[in-house]
Amino acid sequence: VSTQSTGALSQIDGIRLQFILFDLNPSYSQLVISDRPGGTVLRVLTGKIDSPLVRVPSRTAYIEFSNNSTSELRPGFQAFYDTFLCPKSCSNNGDCLFGVCVCHLGWNGTDCSQKVCVDNCNSGYCNSDNTCICPTGAFGVACESHFCSGTDLIVKNSGTISDHDRTLR
């Protein structure tokens, strides 16, 4: 199934395959579904299964059918397909997962267009342009790091500190 050559479908984010008939000999036949020829294998189907739904997170679904038997043929398979689109293609701030945006860190909303402060700024506060304002002694994108009181050493979330060379490990 390829929709890349169809102008109206060139803006899709993925394909759903719905099998309405699927009856293959599990000893001789299989159907391999991948995102492109030689690409990531998404499902391997064989035997008799009831209406499997396969979602392909790309504009192309590659279906390879193999049958190593000439003596026993079964009905085979029949499928419908439709396409899905994420809102605003997730504003390039997230990944489309079957029609739903999964936003990257620092972004939120159904279309990942809302910038948000990372980790709610921990000990700081989030200002109007969604960046963290850290209190004295704290620093980092989300105010996640702190200076040690009374020293010049920096303490991160984890690791060891050497008082000999004053470096983090």
Side-chain angles (χ1 to χ4, degrees), residues 7-43:
L9 297 177
S10 64
Q11 298 301 314
I12 66 168
D13 291 312
I15 301 169
R16 281 184 287 255
L17 297 169
Q18 178 69 50
F19 288 89
I20 56 171
L21 168 68
F22 195 91
D23 188 2
L24 303 179
N25 184 326
S27 299
Y28 304 107
S29 304
Q30 69 177 6
L31 189 75
V32 178
I33 302 169
S34 58
D35 60 352
R36 64 187 181 283
T40 303
V41 173
L42 303 171
R43 293 279 293 271

Side-chain angles (χ1 to χ4, degrees), residues 125-169:
Y125 71 92
C126 189
N127 69 7
S128 61
D129 68 349
N130 294 310
T131 57
C132 294
I133 304 298
C134 301
T136 303
F139 63 97
V141 174
C143 305
E144 73 278 10
S145 299
H146 301 276
F147 289 103
C148 295
S149 59
T151 71
D152 292 329
L153 297 177
I154 299 171
V155 177
K156 294 271 275 171
N157 292 332
S158 63
T160 60
I161 299 174
S162 167
D163 59 352
H164 300 289
D165 58 10
R166 298 187 183 273
T167 58
L168 291 174
R169 294 191 192 148

